[in-house]
């Protein structure tokens, strides 16, 4: 399923550094991804904060706001938002352990996809670690609903995903994608899909003090049924592919890849986090396993 790391934990070889603007704050931030010891997990550090604990370990419980993006917070009240694209890259490339330093309240949006993060990690290189990877094996179905939006996790012997969106705008319409979540598929079909929005929604967000860093450089923008970006779309069904990208990142806050099938309909960050919390509240519906080519062992 994840051939690069042979079912062992993985970190990066060298630090990976970039800078950009936060899509909501418009604030320029510097990000540094650093290697971490086996068993560390994914830890974010707000380097601009020094008067209290500035480390935020990613977990399902750490997510405190998922209305517009995935925001995490530690016990000291330190927050960080828009982690989902980097988390999706970590998941698909098999990065189990990393420390991510950022000197602002939000990760840079870069081009609105996971592609720049994948390029950054590729340049840093990957190092296998001795610990076997922990997987979250889904044993019983978990379902959540929010109005006409819903999502589910179902038993499956590999990580699969089906996502469906349905918009009135003809340029989007109804789109479905169904795939195995592995590195090759992520690189070829998912990672370059950009976030998207409607021009009137962007204007409303800016009036509310959000989307200050949003532009045609980092999002697909739709206005009156037309795509405003000069180059158009990058790929067929880019909209639903990006929603799947978000879901991969949102689910990786669980701290381990899944052995299960995710199915989402119109689901966004909020519904995905409801699903994460529903899973954590149902310990009978899942178990942690380590995976070898021959068998899965409960841990």
């Amino acid at each position: 399923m994840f051939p690069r790391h042979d079912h062992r934990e993985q970190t990066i070889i060298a630090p990976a550094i970039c800078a950009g603007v936060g899509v909501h704050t418009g604030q320029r931030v510097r990000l540094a991804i650093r290697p971490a010891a086996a068993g560390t997990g994914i830890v974010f550090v707000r380097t601009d904060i020094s008067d209290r604990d500035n480390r935020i370990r990613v977990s399902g419980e750490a997510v405190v706001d998922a209305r517009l993006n995935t925001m995490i917070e530690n016990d000291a009240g330190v927050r960080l938002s828009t982690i989902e694209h980097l988390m999706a890259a970590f998941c698909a490339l098999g990065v189990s352990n990393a420390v991510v330093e950022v000197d602002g309240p939000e990760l840079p949006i870069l081009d609105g996809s996971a592609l720049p993060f994948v390029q950054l990690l590729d340049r840093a290189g990957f190092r296998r670690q001795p610990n076997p990877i922990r997987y979250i094996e889904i044993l019983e179905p978990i379902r959540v609903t929010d109005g006409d939006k819903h999502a589910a996790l179902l038993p499956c012997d590999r990580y699969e995903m089906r996502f469906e969106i349905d918009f009135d705008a003809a340029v989007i319409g109804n789109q479905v994608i169904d795939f195995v979540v592995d590195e090759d598929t992520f690189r070829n079909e998912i990672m370059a899909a950009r976030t998207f929005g409607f021009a009137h929604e962007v204007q409303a967000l800016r009036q509310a003090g959000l989307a200050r860093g949003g532009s045609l450089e980092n999002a697909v923008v739709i206005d009156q049924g037309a795509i405003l970006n000069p180059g158009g779309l990058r790929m067929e069904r880019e909209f639903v592919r990006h929603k799947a990208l978000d879901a991969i990142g949102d689910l990786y806050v669980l701290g381990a890849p899944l052995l299960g099938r995710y199915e989402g309909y119109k689901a966004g960050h909020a519904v995905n986090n409801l699903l994460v919390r529903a899973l954590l509240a149902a310990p009978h519906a899942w178990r942690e396993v380590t995976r070898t080519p021959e068998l899965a062992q409960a841990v």
Side-chain angles (χ1 to χ4, degrees), residues 261-279:
R261 178 175 173 86
Y262 168 94
E263 295 185 349
Y265 176 74
K266 292 187 176 182
H269 303 298
V271 171
N272 292 337
N273 190 244
L274 284 176
L275 187 63
V276 165
R277 291 181 178 274
L279 181 69

Side-chain angles (χ1 to χ4, degrees), residues 119-188:
Q119 294 172 331
L120 198 64
L121 294 168
D122 282 345
R123 288 195 294 270
F126 302 91
R127 178 169 59 85
R128 291 176 180 166
Q129 297 176 290
N131 290 10
I133 290 180
R134 296 178 303 107
Y135 294 89
I136 293 175
E137 181 182 16
I138 306 302
L139 303 175
E140 299 177 17
I142 295 288
R143 294 183 173 88
V144 296
T145 301
D146 181 12
D148 65 343
K149 307 170 185 177
H150 55 82
L153 287 172
L154 309 171
C156 186
D157 62 358
R158 60 184 183 177
Y159 193 178
E160 295 182 354
M161 180 168 288
R162 182 188 190 277
F163 212 109
E164 180 177 358
I165 58 174
D166 199 352
F167 284 82
D168 291 335
V171 71
I172 304 178
N174 180 273
Q175 297 184 5
V176 178
I177 189 168
D178 197 325
F179 63 103
V180 177
V181 183
D182 60 20
E183 181 177 341
D184 287 344
T185 304
F186 187 80
R187 287 181 180 273
N188 295 330

Side-chain angles (χ1 to χ4, degrees), residues 21-25 31 44 65 68-72 80-87 105-110 117 195 246 250 269:
V21 298
V23 67
H24 290 299
T25 63
L31 178 143
F44 287 91
D65 194 336
L68 297 173
N69 57 67
T70 297
M71 178 187 290
I72 54 175
L80 183 67
S81 63
T82 320
I83 67 167
E84 56 270 13
H85 299 169
L86 178 56
M87 290 297 292
E106 181 180 20
L107 264 63
I109 190 64
L110 302 178
F117 290 122
T195 191
D246 279 344
D250 289 343
H269 303 298

Side-chain angles (χ1 to χ4, degrees), residues 12 43 78 81 87 97 150 185 206 216 234 246 258 275 281:
I12 56 174
V43 179
V78 173
S81 63
M87 290 297 292
N97 306 299
H150 55 82
T185 304
R206 284 179 175 163
L216 297 179
R234 287 180 172 174
D246 279 344
L258 295 175
L275 187 63

Side-chain angles (χ1 to χ4, degrees), residues 194-270:
R194 295 162 294 174
T195 191
F196 63 92
F198 295 88
H200 67 275
E201 294 176 346
V202 174
Q203 184 177 2
L205 286 170
R206 284 179 175 163
Q207 290 173 347
L210 298 168
R212 292 174 177 171
S215 73
L216 297 179
E217 299 297 317
N218 54 44
V220 177
V221 181
I222 302 152
D223 187 24
Q224 297 182 349
I227 295 171
L228 299 185
N229 304 66
L233 296 178
R234 287 180 172 174
M235 63 192 78
E236 181 188 8
R237 294 176 292 159
E238 183 170 357
F239 302 103
V240 73
R241 293 177 197 275
H242 184 80
K243 298 294 283 187
L245 188 162
D246 279 344
I248 293 168
D250 289 343
L251 294 174
Y252 200 47
V253 301
L254 288 163
L258 295 175
L259 292 176
R261 178 175 173 86
Y262 168 94
E263 295 185 349
Y265 176 74
K266 292 187 176 182
H269 303 298

